Amino acid sequence: RHLRETLLLHCQRDPNVWHSVSCVLSDDRFWFVSRLLPTHPNETVGKATYCSVPLKSAQIKLCGSAGLELHDGSAGGEILTFRATSPEQRNRWARSASYLIQICAENDLLDM
């Protein structure tokens, strides 16, 4: 159920821009590298900025033929829109994320 692939992340500031990001689906989090920023003006590749969404409060929704939305249900949560390279890749991510979200929710109930 764990995945590691490249997806496109929709830019929240410019609706016409999609960034290629490395994504990892782990037991309890959806991780992605948001961008590589140069640390010095002469560098072409810089430090990676890692972001993650906890799955225990997340929701996944399909959009379009290859898109999926990750709804962060935690405080101050946001909606991240990703696009896969194919409907098959999108479905693989949606199935795996839905399964892990369900497991996290069940584990959270057991912790109460």
Side-chain angles (χ1 to χ4, degrees):
R1 295 287 177 200
H2 300 106
L3 294 173
R4 186 184 77 212
E5 294 179 316
T6 299
L7 298 173
L8 295 174
L9 174 62
H10 192 241
C11 179
Q12 294 179 339
R13 284 175 277 175
D14 186 343
N16 300 312
V17 174
W18 293 82
H19 298 285
S20 179
V21 293
S22 296
C23 299
V24 175
L25 189 59
S26 68
D27 285 334
D28 62 346
R29 297 186 93 72
F30 185 108
W31 293 88
F32 62 96
V33 179
S34 66
R35 69 178 52 170
L36 297 172
L37 297 173
T39 54
H40 299 291
N42 296 334
E43 290 182 337
T44 56
V45 177
K47 289 185 176 180
T49 302
Y50 296 93
C51 300
S52 71
V53 174
L55 293 178
K56 73 176 184 179
S57 57
Q59 291 181 333
I60 194 93
K61 294 184 179 180
L62 303 179
C63 57
S65 63
L68 53 104
E69 290 181 346
L70 181 64
H71 295 250
D72 182 358
S74 61
E78 57 185 327
I79 299 172
L80 301 167
T81 305
F82 293 91
R83 189 169 67 202
T85 56
S86 68
E88 293 79 18
Q89 183 189 33
R90 189 264 322 249
N91 293 339
R92 185 170 55 249
W93 275 86
R95 271 193 316 272
S96 294
S98 294
Y99 174 77
L100 291 171
I101 288 168
Q102 179 182 353
I103 296 296
C104 287
E106 291 171 1
N107 288 343
D108 198 40
L109 288 174
L110 293 174
D111 288 340
M112 294 180 155

